[in-house]
Amino acid sequence: MFTLISATPSPYARKVRIALAEKKLPFTLQTEVPWDSTTQTKQYNPLEKLPVLILEDGKSAVYESSYILEWIEAKYPDPPLLPGPDDIDARLFAKKIQVVADGICDALVIAFFEKMRDPEKQSQPWIDRQMRKVEGGLKALGEWAEQRQSDYLVGDKLGLADIAVGSVCGYLACRWPDHGWRDTYPALKKHWQMLEEIPSFKETRPSPQTMKDKVV
Ligand SMILES: N[C@@H](CCC(=O)N[C@@H](CS(=O)(=O)O)C(=O)NCC(=O)O)C(=O)O
């Protein structure tokens, strides 16, 4: 059986948890705080990041969430989470949506840790730059949510794009509860609320974690 190294707030790990559930692939969830010295990520990932999918041999591992999802889709194609090669533009669009969703998460994580520094060491221009990426990314997601032709962002069934967007929206709701994206982008809010009722989303809702070690 697979083991997934995950963390309770991680939007990247949530994508993988949802995909494994949607494909009915059983796995052991190994929840860690990747910022603490106790994490096992570096035993499997030279980049010391989770999520890490440890394969059935207990040693080989796949890491970087978008690559883990590509790996799962290639090895376990049914049910598909991407349009087929016969609809390559839709397939590529779904991956583009994941790029933006993950990029919002990346900027949020950078801003989060910049704000953990002693106030006099924080760079406001650096935080502002990250939050510009968050706002620009959310604007794009909001437009795609408005333009969708079904309940889902690409095609007419749950796919990678929905999983990535649901994960970043859930992360914002968890870590940035006062951010106004739900008022600014009602179509995105409606899409996210629909996703959160799906069992694989319900079972993977993010929650904050407590970091023991000093990170910055
Ligand atoms: N691009 C990576 C990002 C993964 C990532 O940043 N993971 C964080 C944890 S979380 O932000 O997802 O909660 C991590 O392990 N950070 C530890 C480190 O960067 O040393 C992915 O998509 O998998």
Side-chain angles (χ1 to χ4, degrees):
M1 192 187 318
F2 296 129
T3 296
L4 180 69
I5 303 180
S6 175
T8 58
S10 176
Y12 311 101
R14 189 184 187 191
K15 290 192 297 179
V16 179
R17 294 170 68 188
I18 292 169
L20 290 168
E22 289 297 325
K23 289 185 180 275
K24 298 187 174 30
L25 294 170
F27 66 98
T28 302
L29 186 67
Q30 182 173 312
T31 299
E32 300 193 353
V33 177
W35 311 101
D36 289 350
S37 59
T38 49
T39 184
Q40 292 194 11
T41 52
K42 64 176 148 239
Q43 291 174 34
Y44 302 96
N45 177 359
L47 305 173
E48 298 186 27
K49 289 188 175 191
L50 57 81
V52 176
L53 187 67
I54 303 170
L55 305 188
E56 280 134 328
D57 66 3
K59 289 195 296 294
S60 323
V62 182
Y63 37 80
E64 182 62 31
S65 61
S66 54
Y67 176 62
I68 297 172
L69 292 165
E70 190 164 347
W71 187 93
I72 291 169
E73 194 70 18
K75 295 277 189 176
Y76 303 91
D78 294 318
L81 293 175
L82 277 170
D86 56 316
D87 193 355
I88 195 64
D89 288 329
R91 188 179 177 86
L92 290 170
F93 179 42
K95 293 188 174 193
K96 179 177 177 178
I97 294 174
Q98 179 179 226
V99 165
V100 173
D102 285 2
I104 294 168
C105 294
D106 296 344
L108 287 169
V109 170
I110 292 169
F112 178 81
F113 281 101
E114 189 65 21
K115 289 180 181 171
M116 280 180 85
R117 294 183 190 283
D118 301 334
E120 70 280 2
K121 290 184 182 162
Q122 290 181 26
S123 164
Q124 193 56 48
W126 182 243
I127 292 171
D128 294 345
R129 175 180 287 267
Q130 304 314 314
M131 295 319 288
R132 279 205 313 274
K133 297 176 193 300
V134 173
E135 299 314 323
L138 285 169
K139 182 171 181 295
L141 297 189
E143 285 163 2
W144 289 328
E146 268 185 344
Q147 293 157 8
R148 72 193 189 285
Q149 304 296 309
S150 77
D151 269 349
Y152 304 100
L153 289 167
V154 177
D156 57 6
K157 56 181 182 296
L158 182 75
L160 175 71
D162 306 298
I163 293 170
V165 169
S167 296
V168 62
C169 289
Y171 186 60
L172 275 164
C174 170
R175 281 272 202 225
W176 278 262
D178 301 333
H179 190 290
W181 66 275
R182 283 166 280 201
D183 298 324
T184 313
Y185 304 111
L188 181 61
K189 175 187 173 186
K190 185 166 180 281
H191 177 237
W192 172 60
Q193 287 174 327
M194 180 277 293
L195 293 174
E196 289 288 7
E197 291 309 307
I198 297 170
S200 58
F201 284 74
K202 264 188 180 172
E203 292 150 16
T204 58
R205 292 236 173 102
S207 59
Q209 67 192 350
T210 306
M211 288 176 255
K212 288 198 300 291
D213 296 2
K214 184 168 167 51
V215 179
V216 290

